[in-house]
Amino acid sequence: MTASLFPALLSQRARAADVSPIAAASAQAARLRAEGRSIVTLTSGEPDFDTPPELKQAAVAALQAGQTKYTPTAGTWALREAVARGYGARHDLRYEARDVLVSNGGKQVIYLAFNATLDPGDEVIVPAPYWPTFPDSVRINGGTPVIVPTRAQEGFKLTPAGLRQALSPRTRWLVLNSPANPTGAVYSAAELAALAAVLRQHPDVLVLWDELYEEVWFGEPPAHWLTVAPDFQGRTLLVNGVSKAYAMTGWRIGWGTGPAGLIAALEAVQSQVSSGPSSVGQAAALAALEGAADAFVAEARAAYGRRARLVAQGLSAVPGLDVHAPAGAFFAWIGVQGVIGATRPDGKVIADDGDFTGWLLESEGVAVVRGAAYGLSPYIRLSFATSDAQLELAVERITRAVKALRPATVVRQVAPEAA
């Protein structure tokens, strides 16, 4: 079989999938750095901190104790119990270990959920801007993502009217993400209550609550979906993990928590996809949930808050950029309508947010991700999960790149919203 037979022999599901635009932008930046360019990479949602030593020590202890065998498909009972206990302690939610599935990161939980529940034609409501995995995971599992654009005026959050309009007899899931990637938006209790009021008229719609950035917030702790609407516990899948809060992206441990029947279906799919997750990774995650790195979480949160202010204050002074200060996560969502139509020194026109991200990388060596990758233009997403020094350098370079565009005076505007 030769390469010429492809993509003709690929399934429709595979053709609907694509490489993550975030990974693609990061790879391009890495190639330029390997060529000797000075590159500030602000593409990936990955903490720059190392995994806390207490968690590494827990992994070493597990290795020394011989915990190197297969684990149960749904994860070790100890970790599943710890996840369940955590929801009780943080949100007064009652879960048992059997209501938890541990997986190879939160992304796999999302894939398993859609694989286990979607038939062709089934719909999943995804507010935009979105994390690209949400609609792509729906497509690769045969479903249809229903994209609902949000507006700056509402803080890039789904409104009851937007939800009501998107619902149909084929709706199987609503995806909610708070604190949100890519905008850093956080839903208030009142906003969640208003969405719940709409969904109560549609009892067959499931809710996927992505809370991976639960521990990264600036100000008050975020409202939790099931604290606001506890009657939805029987149809909500909570997706979380250790990657963001504990700087454990490479350990690949996430989990889904929800109704026992749904978790059993996810376990059945996982048994054929990957079997149980890493024994050593689960040992480190267990130590994290038992409090071994609580001080680190608080220190990291403070650092992210400081970096968020650094970026927002620095770039808000740049004509043509409209910075939306995040309330959580570690991303700045920046409108670039004010530079669309501007001309580069070489005569090329900045026609869209992709052109602008290309200009930043080409002219000043700053790698960010275009807003189109998240379903809303013209914006860019900038990750501030890096050092203060790198962020200060990025602000300096972005400012210089914008000032190099012609006309020299760029009119500052609020970015228009998708219709």
Side-chain angles (χ1 to χ4, degrees), residues 29 33 37-43 48 306-307 310-311 315 364-368 382-400:
R33 186 180 294 107
R37 288 281 307 277
S38 171
I39 304 296
V40 180
T41 303
L42 307 176
T43 54
D48 58 310
R306 183 182 66 250
R307 295 168 178 181
L310 187 161
V311 170
L315 295 182
E364 293 289 345
V366 178
V368 298
L382 179 158
S383 169
F384 49 81
T386 189
S387 70
D388 293 36
Q390 284 287 285
L391 292 172
E392 290 169 355
L393 180 59
V395 168
E396 176 186 327
R397 290 184 177 188
I398 292 171
T399 301
R400 193 161 56 232

PDB file of all heavy atoms in Angstrom, residues 29 33 37-43 48 306-307 310-311 315 364-368 382-400:
ATOM      1  N   ALA A  29       7.352  27.529  15.934  1.00  0.00           N
ATOM      2  CA  ALA A  29       8.252  28.316  16.773  1.00  0.00           C
ATOM      3  C   ALA A  29       9.502  27.520  17.127  1.00  0.00           C
ATOM      4  O   ALA A  29      10.614  28.054  17.127  1.00  0.00           O
ATOM      5  CB  ALA A  29       7.521  28.754  18.034  1.00  0.00           C
ATOM      6  N   ARG A  33      13.461  28.410  16.321  1.00  0.00           N
ATOM      7  CA  ARG A  33      14.450  28.475  17.388  1.00  0.00           C
ATOM      8  C   ARG A  33      15.632  27.560  17.075  1.00  0.00           C
ATOM      9  O   ARG A  33      16.790  27.916  17.320  1.00  0.00           O
ATOM     10  CB  ARG A  33      13.815  28.084  18.716  1.00  0.00           C
ATOM     11  CG  ARG A  33      14.758  28.282  19.913  1.00  0.00           C
ATOM     12  CD  ARG A  33      14.126  27.889  21.232  1.00  0.00           C
ATOM     13  NE  ARG A  33      13.015  28.776  21.571  1.00  0.00           N
ATOM     14  CZ  ARG A  33      11.734  28.443  21.517  1.00  0.00           C
ATOM     15  NH1 ARG A  33      11.387  27.222  21.109  1.00  0.00           N
ATOM     16  NH2 ARG A  33      10.795  29.286  21.848  1.00  0.00           N
ATOM     17  N   ARG A  37      16.941  31.463  15.555  1.00  0.00           N
ATOM     18  CA  ARG A  37      16.166  32.672  15.799  1.00  0.00           C
ATOM     19  C   ARG A  37      15.876  32.836  17.288  1.00  0.00           C
ATOM     20  O   ARG A  37      15.712  31.860  18.015  1.00  0.00           O
ATOM     21  CB  ARG A  37      14.827  32.619  15.048  1.00  0.00           C
ATOM     22  CG  ARG A  37      14.893  32.780  13.549  1.00  0.00           C
ATOM     23  CD  ARG A  37      15.044  34.243  13.134  1.00  0.00           C
ATOM     24  NE  ARG A  37      14.026  35.096  13.715  1.00  0.00           N
ATOM     25  CZ  ARG A  37      12.794  35.249  13.219  1.00  0.00           C
ATOM     26  NH1 ARG A  37      12.421  34.580  12.138  1.00  0.00           N
ATOM     27  NH2 ARG A  37      11.942  36.085  13.797  1.00  0.00           N
ATOM     28  N   SER A  38      15.781  34.074  17.738  1.00  0.00           N
ATOM     29  CA  SER A  38      15.353  34.370  19.100  1.00  0.00           C
ATOM     30  C   SER A  38      13.820  34.395  19.104  1.00  0.00           C
ATOM     31  O   SER A  38      13.214  35.320  18.552  1.00  0.00           O
ATOM     32  CB  SER A  38      15.903  35.721  19.554  1.00  0.00           C
ATOM     33  OG  SER A  38      15.329  36.108  20.791  1.00  0.00           O
ATOM     34  N   ILE A  39      13.219  33.392  19.701  1.00  0.00           N
ATOM     35  CA  ILE A  39      11.761  33.239  19.656  1.00  0.00           C
ATOM     36  C   ILE A  39      11.188  33.255  21.079  1.00  0.00           C
ATOM     37  O   ILE A  39      11.679  32.556  21.962  1.00  0.00           O
ATOM     38  CB  ILE A  39      11.356  31.912  18.967  1.00  0.00           C
ATOM     39  CG1 ILE A  39      11.966  31.817  17.566  1.00  0.00           C
ATOM     40  CG2 ILE A  39       9.835  31.790  18.915  1.00  0.00           C
ATOM     41  CD1 ILE A  39      11.469  32.863  16.592  1.00  0.00           C
ATOM     42  N   VAL A  40      10.160  34.067  21.278  1.00  0.00           N
ATOM     43  CA  VAL A  40       9.390  34.036  22.515  1.00  0.00           C
ATOM     44  C   VAL A  40       8.114  33.247  22.212  1.00  0.00           C
ATOM     45  O   VAL A  40       7.268  33.710  21.437  1.00  0.00           O
ATOM     46  CB  VAL A  40       9.043  35.447  23.014  1.00  0.00           C
ATOM     47  CG1 VAL A  40       8.230  35.365  24.303  1.00  0.00           C
ATOM     48  CG2 VAL A  40      10.309  36.264  23.234  1.00  0.00           C
ATOM     49  N   THR A  41       7.987  32.075  22.786  1.00  0.00           N
ATOM     50  CA  THR A  41       6.871  31.191  22.470  1.00  0.00           C
ATOM     51  C   THR A  41       5.770  31.350  23.512  1.00  0.00           C
ATOM     52  O   THR A  41       5.960  31.022  24.687  1.00  0.00           O
ATOM     53  CB  THR A  41       7.331  29.729  22.412  1.00  0.00           C
ATOM     54  OG1 THR A  41       8.382  29.606  21.447  1.00  0.00           O
ATOM     55  CG2 THR A  41       6.171  28.820  22.022  1.00  0.00           C
ATOM     56  N   LEU A  42       4.612  31.846  23.060  1.00  0.00           N
ATOM     57  CA  LEU A  42       3.466  32.081  23.939  1.00  0.00           C
ATOM     58  C   LEU A  42       2.245  31.357  23.380  1.00  0.00           C
ATOM     59  O   LEU A  42       1.139  31.890  23.349  1.00  0.00           O
ATOM     60  CB  LEU A  42       3.187  33.586  24.045  1.00  0.00           C
ATOM     61  CG  LEU A  42       4.378  34.467  24.448  1.00  0.00           C
ATOM     62  CD1 LEU A  42       3.994  35.936  24.418  1.00  0.00           C
ATOM     63  CD2 LEU A  42       4.898  34.078  25.824  1.00  0.00           C
ATOM     64  N   THR A  43       2.462  30.125  22.931  1.00  0.00           N
ATOM     65  CA  THR A  43       1.415  29.379  22.236  1.00  0.00           C
ATOM     66  C   THR A  43       0.730  28.338  23.112  1.00  0.00           C
ATOM     67  O   THR A  43      -0.470  28.105  22.978  1.00  0.00           O
ATOM     68  CB  THR A  43       1.999  28.662  21.011  1.00  0.00           C
ATOM     69  OG1 THR A  43       3.106  27.853  21.427  1.00  0.00           O
ATOM     70  CG2 THR A  43       2.481  29.671  19.973  1.00  0.00           C
ATOM     71  N   ASP A  48       5.102  26.855  33.074  1.00  0.00           N
ATOM     72  CA  ASP A  48       6.557  26.856  32.940  1.00  0.00           C
ATOM     73  C   ASP A  48       7.234  26.316  34.198  1.00  0.00           C
ATOM     74  O   ASP A  48       8.425  26.032  34.193  1.00  0.00           O
ATOM     75  CB  ASP A  48       7.071  28.265  32.643  1.00  0.00           C
ATOM     76  CG  ASP A  48       6.681  29.272  33.715  1.00  0.00           C
ATOM     77  OD1 ASP A  48       5.487  29.321  34.061  1.00  0.00           O
ATOM     78  OD2 ASP A  48       7.551  30.019  34.199  1.00  0.00           O
ATOM     79  N   ARG A 306      -0.013  37.848  38.625  1.00  0.00           N
ATOM     80  CA  ARG A 306       0.949  38.925  38.359  1.00  0.00           C
ATOM     81  C   ARG A 306       1.250  39.022  36.860  1.00  0.00           C
ATOM     82  O   ARG A 306       1.306  40.117  36.284  1.00  0.00           O
ATOM     83  CB  ARG A 306       2.232  38.658  39.136  1.00  0.00           C
ATOM     84  CG  ARG A 306       3.288  39.756  38.996  1.00  0.00           C
ATOM     85  CD  ARG A 306       4.556  39.411  39.739  1.00  0.00           C
ATOM     86  NE  ARG A 306       5.254  38.260  39.168  1.00  0.00           N
ATOM     87  CZ  ARG A 306       5.351  37.075  39.750  1.00  0.00           C
ATOM     88  NH1 ARG A 306       4.788  36.865  40.927  1.00  0.00           N
ATOM     89  NH2 ARG A 306       6.014  36.093  39.154  1.00  0.00           N
ATOM     90  N   ARG A 307       1.419  37.886  36.222  1.00  0.00           N
ATOM     91  CA  ARG A 307       1.723  37.867  34.786  1.00  0.00           C
ATOM     92  C   ARG A 307       0.542  38.358  33.960  1.00  0.00           C
ATOM     93  O   ARG A 307       0.722  39.038  32.942  1.00  0.00           O
ATOM     94  CB  ARG A 307       2.116  36.451  34.373  1.00  0.00           C
ATOM     95  CG  ARG A 307       3.406  35.976  35.020  1.00  0.00           C
ATOM     96  CD  ARG A 307       3.591  34.481  34.826  1.00  0.00           C
ATOM     97  NE  ARG A 307       4.841  34.008  35.387  1.00  0.00           N
ATOM     98  CZ  ARG A 307       5.251  32.738  35.325  1.00  0.00           C
ATOM     99  NH1 ARG A 307       4.484  31.828  34.723  1.00  0.00           N
ATOM    100  NH2 ARG A 307       6.401  32.379  35.866  1.00  0.00           N
ATOM    101  N   LEU A 310       0.689  42.025  34.078  1.00  0.00           N
ATOM    102  CA  LEU A 310       1.824  42.518  33.282  1.00  0.00           C
ATOM    103  C   LEU A 310       1.450  42.609  31.808  1.00  0.00           C
ATOM    104  O   LEU A 310       1.697  43.629  31.147  1.00  0.00           O
ATOM    105  CB  LEU A 310       3.022  41.583  33.491  1.00  0.00           C
ATOM    106  CG  LEU A 310       4.387  41.952  32.918  1.00  0.00           C
ATOM    107  CD1 LEU A 310       5.483  41.163  33.635  1.00  0.00           C
ATOM    108  CD2 LEU A 310       4.498  41.686  31.419  1.00  0.00           C
ATOM    109  N   VAL A 311       0.856  41.546  31.287  1.00  0.00           N
ATOM    110  CA  VAL A 311       0.485  41.512  29.868  1.00  0.00           C
ATOM    111  C   VAL A 311      -0.640  42.494  29.575  1.00  0.00           C
ATOM    112  O   VAL A 311      -0.582  43.259  28.599  1.00  0.00           O
ATOM    113  CB  VAL A 311       0.070  40.085  29.466  1.00  0.00           C
ATOM    114  CG1 VAL A 311      -0.545  40.072  28.070  1.00  0.00           C
ATOM    115  CG2 VAL A 311       1.272  39.153  29.525  1.00  0.00           C
ATOM    116  N   LEU A 315       0.090  45.617  27.026  1.00  0.00           N
ATOM    117  CA  LEU A 315      -0.475  45.630  25.682  1.00  0.00           C
ATOM    118  C   LEU A 315      -1.693  46.535  25.550  1.00  0.00           C
ATOM    119  O   LEU A 315      -2.059  46.914  24.431  1.00  0.00           O
ATOM    120  CB  LEU A 315      -0.827  44.208  25.245  1.00  0.00           C
ATOM    121  CG  LEU A 315       0.373  43.263  25.085  1.00  0.00           C
ATOM    122  CD1 LEU A 315      -0.077  41.893  24.600  1.00  0.00           C
ATOM    123  CD2 LEU A 315       1.417  43.840  24.129  1.00  0.00           C
ATOM    124  N   GLU A 364       9.336  39.896  14.758  1.00  0.00           N
ATOM    125  CA  GLU A 364       9.864  40.061  16.108  1.00  0.00           C
ATOM    126  C   GLU A 364      10.087  38.747  16.858  1.00  0.00           C
ATOM    127  O   GLU A 364      10.521  38.756  18.000  1.00  0.00           O
ATOM    128  CB  GLU A 364       8.929  40.952  16.933  1.00  0.00           C
ATOM    129  CG  GLU A 364       8.871  42.391  16.448  1.00  0.00           C
ATOM    130  CD  GLU A 364      10.165  43.159  16.732  1.00  0.00           C
ATOM    131  OE1 GLU A 364      10.978  42.656  17.547  1.00  0.00           O
ATOM    132  OE2 GLU A 364      10.363  44.241  16.154  1.00  0.00           O
ATOM    133  N   GLY A 365       9.762  37.626  16.214  1.00  0.00           N
ATOM    134  CA  GLY A 365      10.008  36.356  16.876  1.00  0.00           C
ATOM    135  C   GLY A 365       9.102  36.087  18.056  1.00  0.00           C
ATOM    136  O   GLY A 365       9.511  35.474  19.046  1.00  0.00           O
ATOM    137  N   VAL A 366       7.842  36.525  17.981  1.00  0.00           N
ATOM    138  CA  VAL A 366       6.864  36.242  19.025  1.00  0.00           C
ATOM    139  C   VAL A 366       5.820  35.290  18.457  1.00  0.00           C
ATOM    140  O   VAL A 366       5.147  35.617  17.465  1.00  0.00           O
ATOM    141  CB  VAL A 366       6.186  37.525  19.537  1.00  0.00           C
ATOM    142  CG1 VAL A 366       5.132  37.184  20.592  1.00  0.00           C
ATOM    143  CG2 VAL A 366       7.214  38.476  20.120  1.00  0.00           C
ATOM    144  N   ALA A 367       5.680  34.120  19.075  1.00  0.00           N
ATOM    145  CA  ALA A 367       4.736  33.110  18.599  1.00  0.00           C
ATOM    146  C   ALA A 367       3.488  33.114  19.459  1.00  0.00           C
ATOM    147  O   ALA A 367       3.562  32.878  20.665  1.00  0.00           O
ATOM    148  CB  ALA A 367       5.384  31.731  18.615  1.00  0.00           C
ATOM    149  N   VAL A 368       2.345  33.418  18.843  1.00  0.00           N
ATOM    150  CA  VAL A 368       1.039  33.340  19.488  1.00  0.00           C
ATOM    151  C   VAL A 368       0.126  32.545  18.547  1.00  0.00           C
ATOM    152  O   VAL A 368       0.550  32.120  17.475  1.00  0.00           O
ATOM    153  CB  VAL A 368       0.455  34.746  19.767  1.00  0.00           C
ATOM    154  CG1 VAL A 368       1.350  35.521  20.721  1.00  0.00           C
ATOM    155  CG2 VAL A 368       0.259  35.530  18.470  1.00  0.00           C
ATOM    156  N   LEU A 382      -2.683  34.643  23.613  1.00  0.00           N
ATOM    157  CA  LEU A 382      -1.324  34.710  24.123  1.00  0.00           C
ATOM    158  C   LEU A 382      -1.281  33.988  25.464  1.00  0.00           C
ATOM    159  O   LEU A 382      -2.046  34.312  26.367  1.00  0.00           O
ATOM    160  CB  LEU A 382      -0.926  36.181  24.268  1.00  0.00           C
ATOM    161  CG  LEU A 382       0.442  36.574  24.800  1.00  0.00           C
ATOM    162  CD1 LEU A 382       0.776  37.998  24.347  1.00  0.00           C
ATOM    163  CD2 LEU A 382       0.494  36.517  26.324  1.00  0.00           C
ATOM    164  N   SER A 383      -0.424  32.998  25.608  1.00  0.00           N
ATOM    165  CA  SER A 383      -0.268  32.301  26.877  1.00  0.00           C
ATOM    166  C   SER A 383       0.769  33.026  27.724  1.00  0.00           C
ATOM    167  O   SER A 383       1.880  33.289  27.266  1.00  0.00           O
ATOM    168  CB  SER A 383       0.179  30.856  26.651  1.00  0.00           C
ATOM    169  OG  SER A 383       0.565  30.251  27.871  1.00  0.00           O
ATOM    170  N   PHE A 384       0.394  33.327  28.981  1.00  0.00           N
ATOM    171  CA  PHE A 384       1.383  33.949  29.862  1.00  0.00           C
ATOM    172  C   PHE A 384       1.900  32.954  30.901  1.00  0.00           C
ATOM    173  O   PHE A 384       2.349  33.341  31.989  1.00  0.00           O
ATOM    174  CB  PHE A 384       0.838  35.219  30.530  1.00  0.00           C
ATOM    175  CG  PHE A 384      -0.513  35.116  31.177  1.00  0.00           C
ATOM    176  CD1 PHE A 384      -0.660  34.581  32.441  1.00  0.00           C
ATOM    177  CD2 PHE A 384      -1.642  35.584  30.516  1.00  0.00           C
ATOM    178  CE1 PHE A 384      -1.901  34.504  33.050  1.00  0.00           C
ATOM    179  CE2 PHE A 384      -2.896  35.515  31.116  1.00  0.00           C
ATOM    180  CZ  PHE A 384      -3.022  34.970  32.390  1.00  0.00           C
ATOM    181  N   ALA A 385       1.894  31.673  30.540  1.00  0.00           N
ATOM    182  CA  ALA A 385       2.480  30.638  31.398  1.00  0.00           C
ATOM    183  C   ALA A 385       3.972  30.547  31.098  1.00  0.00           C
ATOM    184  O   ALA A 385       4.484  29.504  30.689  1.00  0.00           O
ATOM    185  CB  ALA A 385       1.787  29.298  31.172  1.00  0.00           C
ATOM    186  N   THR A 386       4.655  31.656  31.291  1.00  0.00           N
ATOM    187  CA  THR A 386       6.102  31.711  31.102  1.00  0.00           C
ATOM    188  C   THR A 386       6.648  32.779  32.035  1.00  0.00           C
ATOM    189  O   THR A 386       5.891  33.443  32.741  1.00  0.00           O
ATOM    190  CB  THR A 386       6.452  31.990  29.632  1.00  0.00           C
ATOM    191  OG1 THR A 386       7.860  31.822  29.432  1.00  0.00           O
ATOM    192  CG2 THR A 386       6.045  33.397  29.219  1.00  0.00           C
ATOM    193  N   SER A 387       7.939  32.986  32.022  1.00  0.00           N
ATOM    194  CA  SER A 387       8.555  33.873  33.004  1.00  0.00           C
ATOM    195  C   SER A 387       8.185  35.341  32.770  1.00  0.00           C
ATOM    196  O   SER A 387       7.865  35.751  31.653  1.00  0.00           O
ATOM    197  CB  SER A 387      10.076  33.729  32.955  1.00  0.00           C
ATOM    198  OG  SER A 387      10.585  34.278  31.752  1.00  0.00           O
ATOM    199  N   ASP A 388       8.277  36.134  33.844  1.00  0.00           N
ATOM    200  CA  ASP A 388       8.031  37.567  33.728  1.00  0.00           C
ATOM    201  C   ASP A 388       8.968  38.193  32.711  1.00  0.00           C
ATOM    202  O   ASP A 388       8.566  39.066  31.934  1.00  0.00           O
ATOM    203  CB  ASP A 388       8.217  38.246  35.089  1.00  0.00           C
ATOM    204  CG  ASP A 388       7.169  37.835  36.108  1.00  0.00           C
ATOM    205  OD1 ASP A 388       6.757  36.654  36.109  1.00  0.00           O
ATOM    206  OD2 ASP A 388       6.757  38.690  36.909  1.00  0.00           O
ATOM    207  N   ALA A 389      10.227  37.754  32.704  1.00  0.00           N
ATOM    208  CA  ALA A 389      11.206  38.324  31.777  1.00  0.00           C
ATOM    209  C   ALA A 389      10.804  38.064  30.329  1.00  0.00           C
ATOM    210  O   ALA A 389      10.904  38.960  29.477  1.00  0.00           O
ATOM    211  CB  ALA A 389      12.593  37.742  32.059  1.00  0.00           C
ATOM    212  N   GLN A 390      10.348  36.853  30.037  1.00  0.00           N
ATOM    213  CA  GLN A 390       9.912  36.540  28.676  1.00  0.00           C
ATOM    214  C   GLN A 390       8.673  37.342  28.289  1.00  0.00           C
ATOM    215  O   GLN A 390       8.538  37.788  27.149  1.00  0.00           O
ATOM    216  CB  GLN A 390       9.626  35.047  28.548  1.00  0.00           C
ATOM    217  CG  GLN A 390      10.873  34.184  28.469  1.00  0.00           C
ATOM    218  CD  GLN A 390      11.576  34.322  27.126  1.00  0.00           C
ATOM    219  OE1 GLN A 390      11.132  33.798  26.103  1.00  0.00           O
ATOM    220  NE2 GLN A 390      12.691  35.036  27.114  1.00  0.00           N
ATOM    221  N   LEU A 391       7.777  37.536  29.241  1.00  0.00           N
ATOM    222  CA  LEU A 391       6.567  38.313  28.952  1.00  0.00           C
ATOM    223  C   LEU A 391       6.899  39.785  28.730  1.00  0.00           C
ATOM    224  O   LEU A 391       6.322  40.436  27.844  1.00  0.00           O
ATOM    225  CB  LEU A 391       5.563  38.157  30.093  1.00  0.00           C
ATOM    226  CG  LEU A 391       4.961  36.760  30.235  1.00  0.00           C
ATOM    227  CD1 LEU A 391       4.133  36.656  31.499  1.00  0.00           C
ATOM    228  CD2 LEU A 391       4.119  36.403  29.013  1.00  0.00           C
ATOM    229  N   GLU A 392       7.812  40.329  29.510  1.00  0.00           N
ATOM    230  CA  GLU A 392       8.231  41.714  29.295  1.00  0.00           C
ATOM    231  C   GLU A 392       8.855  41.868  27.915  1.00  0.00           C
ATOM    232  O   GLU A 392       8.611  42.863  27.211  1.00  0.00           O
ATOM    233  CB  GLU A 392       9.207  42.130  30.391  1.00  0.00           C
ATOM    234  CG  GLU A 392       8.555  42.293  31.762  1.00  0.00           C
ATOM    235  CD  GLU A 392       9.568  42.447  32.881  1.00  0.00           C
ATOM    236  OE1 GLU A 392      10.788  42.323  32.595  1.00  0.00           O
ATOM    237  OE2 GLU A 392       9.154  42.681  34.027  1.00  0.00           O
ATOM    238  N   LEU A 393       9.662  40.885  27.519  1.00  0.00           N
ATOM    239  CA  LEU A 393      10.265  40.915  26.190  1.00  0.00           C
ATOM    240  C   LEU A 393       9.193  40.807  25.116  1.00  0.00           C
ATOM    241  O   LEU A 393       9.247  41.508  24.084  1.00  0.00           O
ATOM    242  CB  LEU A 393      11.271  39.767  26.054  1.00  0.00           C
ATOM    243  CG  LEU A 393      12.011  39.640  24.726  1.00  0.00           C
ATOM    244  CD1 LEU A 393      12.798  40.912  24.423  1.00  0.00           C
ATOM    245  CD2 LEU A 393      12.927  38.417  24.754  1.00  0.00           C
ATOM    246  N   ALA A 394       8.200  39.957  25.339  1.00  0.00           N
ATOM    247  CA  ALA A 394       7.123  39.801  24.363  1.00  0.00           C
ATOM    248  C   ALA A 394       6.344  41.096  24.198  1.00  0.00           C
ATOM    249  O   ALA A 394       6.021  41.497  23.068  1.00  0.00           O
ATOM    250  CB  ALA A 394       6.187  38.678  24.798  1.00  0.00           C
ATOM    251  N   VAL A 395       6.004  41.756  25.303  1.00  0.00           N
ATOM    252  CA  VAL A 395       5.279  43.023  25.225  1.00  0.00           C
ATOM    253  C   VAL A 395       6.084  44.046  24.430  1.00  0.00           C
ATOM    254  O   VAL A 395       5.545  44.763  23.574  1.00  0.00           O
ATOM    255  CB  VAL A 395       4.966  43.551  26.644  1.00  0.00           C
ATOM    256  CG1 VAL A 395       4.474  44.996  26.590  1.00  0.00           C
ATOM    257  CG2 VAL A 395       3.929  42.660  27.325  1.00  0.00           C
ATOM    258  N   GLU A 396       7.373  44.096  24.697  1.00  0.00           N
ATOM    259  CA  GLU A 396       8.248  45.028  23.971  1.00  0.00           C
ATOM    260  C   GLU A 396       8.253  44.729  22.476  1.00  0.00           C
ATOM    261  O   GLU A 396       8.130  45.632  21.635  1.00  0.00           O
ATOM    262  CB  GLU A 396       9.660  44.920  24.549  1.00  0.00           C
ATOM    263  CG  GLU A 396      10.713  45.746  23.837  1.00  0.00           C
ATOM    264  CD  GLU A 396      12.106  45.485  24.372  1.00  0.00           C
ATOM    265  OE1 GLU A 396      12.243  45.215  25.594  1.00  0.00           O
ATOM    266  OE2 GLU A 396      13.069  45.529  23.582  1.00  0.00           O
ATOM    267  N   ARG A 397       8.356  43.458  22.133  1.00  0.00           N
ATOM    268  CA  ARG A 397       8.434  43.080  20.712  1.00  0.00           C
ATOM    269  C   ARG A 397       7.092  43.276  20.002  1.00  0.00           C
ATOM    270  O   ARG A 397       7.057  43.726  18.853  1.00  0.00           O
ATOM    271  CB  ARG A 397       8.893  41.620  20.598  1.00  0.00           C
ATOM    272  CG  ARG A 397      10.341  41.398  20.994  1.00  0.00           C
ATOM    273  CD  ARG A 397      10.745  39.948  20.762  1.00  0.00           C
ATOM    274  NE  ARG A 397      12.158  39.716  21.055  1.00  0.00           N
ATOM    275  CZ  ARG A 397      12.796  38.582  20.787  1.00  0.00           C
ATOM    276  NH1 ARG A 397      12.141  37.573  20.224  1.00  0.00           N
ATOM    277  NH2 ARG A 397      14.074  38.443  21.080  1.00  0.00           N
ATOM    278  N   ILE A 398       5.987  42.904  20.671  1.00  0.00           N
ATOM    279  CA  ILE A 398       4.678  43.094  20.047  1.00  0.00           C
ATOM    280  C   ILE A 398       4.414  44.572  19.816  1.00  0.00           C
ATOM    281  O   ILE A 398       3.900  44.973  18.760  1.00  0.00           O
ATOM    282  CB  ILE A 398       3.571  42.462  20.920  1.00  0.00           C
ATOM    283  CG1 ILE A 398       3.714  40.936  20.932  1.00  0.00           C
ATOM    284  CG2 ILE A 398       2.183  42.856  20.408  1.00  0.00           C
ATOM    285  CD1 ILE A 398       2.809  40.245  21.926  1.00  0.00           C
ATOM    286  N   THR A 399       4.755  45.387  20.793  1.00  0.00           N
ATOM    287  CA  THR A 399       4.590  46.840  20.641  1.00  0.00           C
ATOM    288  C   THR A 399       5.359  47.338  19.444  1.00  0.00           C
ATOM    289  O   THR A 399       4.846  48.125  18.623  1.00  0.00           O
ATOM    290  CB  THR A 399       5.072  47.562  21.914  1.00  0.00           C
ATOM    291  OG1 THR A 399       4.321  47.091  23.041  1.00  0.00           O
ATOM    292  CG2 THR A 399       4.903  49.064  21.788  1.00  0.00           C
ATOM    293  N   ARG A 400       6.593  46.873  19.289  1.00  0.00           N
ATOM    294  CA  ARG A 400       7.433  47.294  18.167  1.00  0.00           C
ATOM    295  C   ARG A 400       6.857  46.808  16.839  1.00  0.00           C
ATOM    296  O   ARG A 400       6.859  47.542  15.835  1.00  0.00           O
ATOM    297  CB  ARG A 400       8.852  46.772  18.372  1.00  0.00           C
ATOM    298  CG  ARG A 400       9.881  47.392  17.445  1.00  0.00           C
ATOM    299  CD  ARG A 400      11.289  47.197  17.988  1.00  0.00           C
ATOM    300  NE  ARG A 400      11.615  45.800  18.241  1.00  0.00           N
ATOM    301  CZ  ARG A 400      12.103  45.345  19.407  1.00  0.00           C
ATOM    302  NH1 ARG A 400      12.308  46.187  20.415  1.00  0.00           N
ATOM    303  NH2 ARG A 400      12.387  44.065  19.561  1.00  0.00           N
TER     304      ARG A 400
END
